[in-house]
Amino acid sequence: MDRIEHSGVVTQVDAGRVFVEIAAQEACGACRAREACGLSGTQRKVVEVNTPDAAGYRVGDRVAVGVSPRLGAAAVAVAYLLPLAVLVAVLAGCAALGAGEGATLVAVLVAVAGYYGVLRSFRRRIDRKVHFSISKTI
């Protein structure tokens, strides 16, 4: 498989950007990448695709949006696995220091929120590295 792909409908077109609404499909149940995919638990999701060909798309066009499996796996690691590692590390640290449950809860919440805050501060950099492909479907 050279890319993970979902069908969708164009909802908005801006200069250099196409917004595509993707609906979770029954086919997701059979997909090998469903555990790693952010779409498997949602009904609808809007994906922003940066493309120099944005002017060629119109609202209502049926399209296929794809990403390489390698990028998909990296996104899962950054979004789910690393924050889990932060959570476990803070829990272990609090346990080693003999912190109470309340203090541990606050420490975990602050650490995970801090992680996502740092991640958000790198959003532009991440956007430059993650490339969705888009193509019209019939």
Side-chain angles (χ1 to χ4, degrees):
M1 172 187 326
D2 61 337
R3 70 184 199 163
I4 299 168
E5 193 171 272
H6 288 281
S7 298
V9 177
V10 174
T11 59
Q12 180 182 344
V13 179
D14 288 341
R17 299 183 305 173
V18 179
F19 294 84
V20 179
E21 183 177 270
I22 299 171
Q25 305 166 348
E26 289 182 24
C28 291
C31 179
R32 290 187 344 200
R34 73 182 173 277
E35 282 86 20
C37 181
L39 291 175
S40 62
T42 62
Q43 293 298 319
R44 298 192 182 280
K45 181 171 179 82
V46 176
V47 176
E48 178 183 334
V49 181
N50 295 316
T51 177
D53 302 325
Y57 294 92
R58 301 284 176 253
V59 172
D61 284 352
R62 294 191 134 330
V63 296
V65 176
V67 67
S68 75
R70 184 175 175 187
L71 271 176
V76 168
V78 169
Y80 303 112
L81 298 179
L82 289 176
L84 177 63
V86 168
L87 184 142
V88 170
V90 171
L91 277 174
C94 288
L97 295 173
E101 290 178 3
T104 300
L105 174 63
V106 170
V108 165
L109 290 175
V110 168
V112 173
Y115 172 83
Y116 283 113
V118 169
L119 187 62
R120 180 149 176 82
S121 72
F122 286 101
R123 182 171 184 199
R124 290 192 192 276
R125 184 181 223 175
I126 293 169
D127 284 346
R128 286 192 300 261
K129 291 187 181 215
V130 176
H131 298 284
F132 288 100
S133 60
I134 186 170
S135 58
K136 289 187 179 182
T137 58
I138 298 174

